Amino acid sequence: MLGETTADDGTDEPNHTQTAAGELADAVRTTLGPSGLDKMVVGENGTVIVTNDGSKIIEWMDITHPVGRLVEQAAAAQDSAVGDGATTVVVLIGALLEEAATLRSDGLHPTTIIDGYGRAAETAIDHLAQYERSLQSRHDDRLAQIAKTAVTGRWDDASTERFGELALTALQAVEFDTSRLTLKSYPGGELRESACHDGVVVDLKTSSTSLDTLSHPGTQTHAEPAIAMVDAEIGIEEPSHIESVTLQDTTQRSELQAHEQDRRTELVAQVVQSGATVLFCQKPIDEAVRTALVQRGVLPVERTRRDEFDVIARATGSTPVLSVDELTADTTGTVASVTQRTVGTSQTLTLQGCPEEQRATLLLRGGTPHVADEVRRIAADCIDVTRVTLDDGAFVPGGGAVPTALAMDLAALSSGIPDRTQLVFDGFGTALEALPRTLATNAGTDPLNTLATIQQRHDSGSETVGVGPDGHPQDMIAAGVLEPATVFTSALQRAVAVVTQILRVDDIVRTSPDKRGTDSEHDHSHAATGGYPWAVGH
């Protein structure tokens, strides 16, 4: 175990720079693969979250150790870049550090291990090309299999199929341009009720606008409405500085009230004159103005989220104005229809048939708020890996088939290396085998027997054999367990980069803020220009 690695001085003190990474790897290892278990994350306020997403688990953990923060950053970067493989990164980091500890106990210097790991990683990535398969087109049936492979955990076969269908349908609706796709999830339903909708879905829960108070119960559709957009507050203008108004008698009060009412009437008249059917305002709308607009047949939506406001403007061809007085027919846009409906307990507007920019919204449902969030996360992963595969044009068999094949390649090559780098290559290959071993362990099968069987199958020419969903060796291509080649390549590169940084550290130096401040004041000429700033002050 990494926690038992000894320090360089020969004492029995553990090497904490490696222990922290090993503990993180142990924390998420059991979540890897279709048989991986979930983690229950309990927040300080008592919030309970159950998930098997390695990147989210690490994100929610309270990590203070600087090396642990390095691993956390690598997992987050992997998830952000390709949408999958964060757990793979952490497991690989832990395995590579464990092998490095063994190599150091055999007398190898850290720089030898670092150089060897770099060469082994380059060799593995070069050999990865021979295990890649190419996609035929955007309509390749294997895209659905790739999307379904990203669904791991406690979902049944029917749900896995549904996730794959939803991901492909959503991507096809926007011609695989994810910048025009929005994901929204709502509790109070089932996954089978999820659907991809043409256009933009506006969630009124984030707005103070209520369709019930505006006397628009149930589902209602406005055909070819004119869309007006105001990027400012609508109502009686507030003074820019503190003012006080003194009223001498009731007549002056009546005149002030009449003036304010006249101004509200002007605002409503200007909106109606522009021909607007739906008015989106990024800021609040005066309640009296809002009520009057509804009475005149205009649907007002206030406090529209900035991102949605900008999307609606682009998609409808509307020109946002800074004052209602600037509204004209030329500043309005349009869509085929605006539909008001209630989804779960949330009120929404769906703008369909956007003329200026093709948009789609994947509306997802889950029984509880937590399940709805998990459904959204999984759908996002499915979409990300599908898009990445299409961009790269290549995929590989999953289930640890590729790491096993690469480990065998490195073992064959290491026999021809004349120096001690041969040991590093062997250790690197053993670290790669941690992935199929973990998959087998999580599925409840013997990892050593499973790995030995897979290696035998590979020797006989079946290089696509890996750990099946039941934990037994199986042809991954035939089973439809496919992964983007980029996910494994990215995970391997990030893991090696982090391990290289960690191996270069032999101790963590902690400094006090006062001493650091004194040094910076009196010795500016020797300010640090490199090194590892993340190790200071933790």
Side-chain angles (χ1 to χ4, degrees), residues 271-294:
V271 173
V272 174
Q273 185 177 350
S274 71
T277 310
V278 181
L279 171 65
F280 287 96
C281 182
Q282 209 275 316
K283 295 181 180 179
I285 301 177
D286 182 270
E287 184 176 356
V289 173
R290 188 152 52 95
T291 302
L293 286 172
V294 172

Side-chain angles (χ1 to χ4, degrees), residues 198-200 220-225 227 278 316 334-341 349-355:
D198 168 54
V200 181
Q220 183 172 340
T221 301
H222 305 267
E224 298 184 358
I227 309 295
V278 181
T316 63
T334 188
V335 290
S337 65
V338 171
T339 302
Q340 307 167 216
R341 65 162 60 90
L349 290 180
T350 302
L351 285 69
Q352 294 180 297
C354 301

Side-chain angles (χ1 to χ4, degrees), residues 17 88 100 183 309 312 320 374 396 434 518:
T17 60
T88 299
L183 272 63
F309 188 84
I312 293 169
E374 278 289 282
V396 294
T518 301

Side-chain angles (χ1 to χ4, degrees), residues 2 17-18 21-22 92-101 117 499 502-503:
L2 289 176
T17 60
Q18 298 182 22
L92 279 175
I93 290 173
L96 287 169
L97 286 174
E98 187 171 0
E99 292 302 317
Y117 273 1
V499 169
I502 294 174
L503 290 178

Side-chain angles (χ1 to χ4, degrees), residues 471-520:
H472 295 94
Q474 191 175 357
D475 188 313
M476 296 291 98
I477 300 294
V481 181
L482 312 177
E483 299 174 346
T486 304
V487 169
F488 181 77
T489 302
S490 176
L492 185 60
Q493 291 172 331
R494 294 181 195 281
V496 172
V498 171
V499 169
T500 296
Q501 285 183 297
I502 294 174
L503 290 178
R504 290 187 183 277
V505 178
D506 65 348
D507 197 4
I508 297 176
V509 180
R510 302 180 185 274
T511 64
S512 65
D514 292 341
K515 181 178 294 186
R516 187 168 63 249
T518 301
D519 292 343
S520 63

Side-chain angles (χ1 to χ4, degrees), residues 81-82 171 176 178 382-392:
V82 294
L171 285 170
F176 292 85
T178 53
C382 292
I383 290 170
D384 285 342
V385 298
T386 304
R387 177 188 54 80
V388 166
T389 306
L390 192 62
D391 292 343
D392 192 47

Side-chain angles (χ1 to χ4, degrees), residues 428-485:
F428 194 93
T430 302
L432 290 179
E433 291 173 350
L435 294 173
R437 289 199 307 269
T438 300
L439 290 172
T441 300
N442 290 348
T445 58
D446 185 272
L448 296 180
N449 290 338
T450 301
L451 183 59
T453 302
I454 293 174
Q455 291 171 337
Q456 291 174 359
R457 298 279 294 275
H458 280 226
D459 280 334
S460 64
S462 301
E463 296 173 340
T464 59
V465 173
V467 182
D470 59 356
H472 295 94
Q474 191 175 357
D475 188 313
M476 296 291 98
I477 300 294
V481 181
L482 312 177
E483 299 174 346

